């Protein structure tokens, strides 16, 4: 069984786990977004990949799905084993502003191996019209990597020297894509993203296909 605490910035995890992640020389970060009440696919993703990751990042629009999974893990030891020890998240435009069991910030900064990673949903940064505002926010936040959602389109670009990644939507993809999420490998000198396409997502046993670029 698991027990999470939430620190002052909103990150879930013990202070010792958060501190260890900040210094970890090789780490994997599970990144997903825009689940929109599809708890089933979020559960399948954690069961398949969660135990191999050091942390998870959720980019908004589906905070209650994450809460549901964490509550299930309190009673399900198999699921609990697949929940990474550190979880960061940001509030999406479709997530409630009123109080929830968690503090849900507009943005979070997660540090992995000395690399600061900015996590937002993207609606405040007008990502539907370009990524310049998000790149500026990453610069002002001293982050070399920015993660966002909102567009439901998996994408990776470099903007102004900053790596900006949208994992896609695990539930309601757009622009002809299949549902996607991503796993980031973070090392001292680079951050690499592997995008994972979910095929047959509504079945009990979906296929996960790794792609370097969507």
């Amino acid at each position: 069984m698991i027990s999470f605490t939430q620190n002052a910035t909103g990150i879930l995890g013990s202070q010792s786990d958060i501190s260890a992640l900040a210094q970890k020389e090789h780490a994997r970060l599970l990144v997903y977004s825009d689940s929109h009440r599809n708890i089933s696919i979020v559960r399948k993703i954690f069961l398949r990949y969660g135990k191999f990751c050091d942390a998870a990042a959720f980019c908004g629009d589906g905070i209650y799905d994450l809460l549901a999974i964490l509550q299930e893990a309190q009673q399900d030891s198999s699921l609990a084993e697949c929940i990474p020890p550190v979880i960061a998240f940001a509030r999406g435009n479709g997530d409630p502003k009123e109080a929830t069991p968690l503090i849900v910030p507009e943005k979070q900064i997660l540090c992995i191996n000395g690399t600061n990673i900015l996590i937002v949903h993207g609606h405040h940064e007008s990502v539907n019209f370009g990524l310049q505002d998000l790149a500026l926010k990453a610069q002002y936040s001293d982050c070399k990597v920015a993660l966002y959602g909102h567009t439901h389109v998996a994408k990776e670009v470099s903007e102004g020297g900053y790596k900006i990644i949208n994992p896609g939507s695990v539930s309601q993809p757009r622009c002809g894509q299949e549902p996607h999420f991503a796993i980031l490998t973070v090392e001292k000198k680079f951050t690499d993203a592997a995008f994972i396409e979910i095929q047959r997502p509504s079945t009990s046993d979906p296929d996960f296909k790794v792609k370097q670029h969507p």
Side-chain angles (χ1 to χ4, degrees):
M1 304 307 160
I2 61 173
S3 178
F4 278 106
T5 57
Q6 189 171 26
N7 73 5
T9 67
I11 294 174
L12 287 177
S14 69
Q15 191 55 55
S16 60
D17 285 332
I18 294 170
S19 297
L21 184 66
Q23 302 175 46
K24 195 172 180 65
E25 293 184 358
H26 177 91
R28 289 189 177 92
L29 177 65
L30 171 62
V31 186
Y32 77 99
S33 189
D34 295 281
S35 54
H36 290 281
R37 299 284 183 172
N38 191 338
I39 298 171
S40 175
I41 196 61
V42 177
R43 183 189 301 109
K44 292 168 186 173
I45 290 168
F46 275 109
L47 286 171
R48 175 63 178 83
Y49 288 96
K51 67 175 63 176
F52 305 110
C53 294
D54 303 282
F58 168 59
C59 298
D61 275 1
I63 190 62
Y64 281 131
D65 305 334
L66 176 59
L67 279 168
I69 294 302
L70 295 177
Q71 290 168 353
E72 283 186 35
Q74 298 292 328
Q75 307 298 325
D76 184 339
S77 59
S78 296
L79 178 58
E81 291 174 356
C82 299
I83 304 296
V86 177
I87 302 176
F89 45 85
R91 188 180 69 82
N93 60 298
D95 290 324
K97 293 183 178 180
E98 65 268 19
T100 69
L102 298 174
I103 300 167
V104 187
E106 298 291 342
K107 69 172 184 178
Q108 283 191 343
I109 296 175
L110 183 65
C111 182
I112 302 178
N113 194 16
T115 298
N116 287 334
I117 299 173
L118 175 65
I119 302 162
V120 300
H121 184 58
H123 57 303
H124 292 305
E125 295 76 24
S126 303
V127 294
N128 283 324
F129 305 101
L131 299 176
Q132 295 85 357
D133 288 350
L134 181 53
L136 283 173
K137 183 170 281 189
Q139 179 183 357
Y140 295 149
S141 303
D142 192 28
C143 296
K144 290 296 184 183
V145 179
L147 308 175
Y148 73 104
H150 191 54
T151 66
H152 295 214
V153 179
K155 185 176 184 179
E156 177 182 1
V157 301
S158 293
E159 180 76 34
Y162 297 86
K163 182 168 285 192
I164 301 179
I165 297 166
N166 187 324
S169 171
V170 300
S171 179
Q172 299 176 10
R174 296 173 183 160
C175 294
Q177 290 187 348
E178 296 295 327
H180 275 80
F181 61 101
I183 293 180
L184 270 60
T185 299
V186 183
E187 298 199 359
K188 195 67 176 178
K189 295 184 178 180
F190 73 90
T191 299
D192 179 65
F195 290 86
I196 301 176
E197 180 182 283
I198 309 170
Q199 300 176 338
R200 301 185 298 112
S202 61
T203 66
S204 60
D205 187 24
D207 288 331
F208 297 99
K209 183 178 180 180
V210 179
K211 300 176 128 185
Q212 283 304 116
H213 298 283

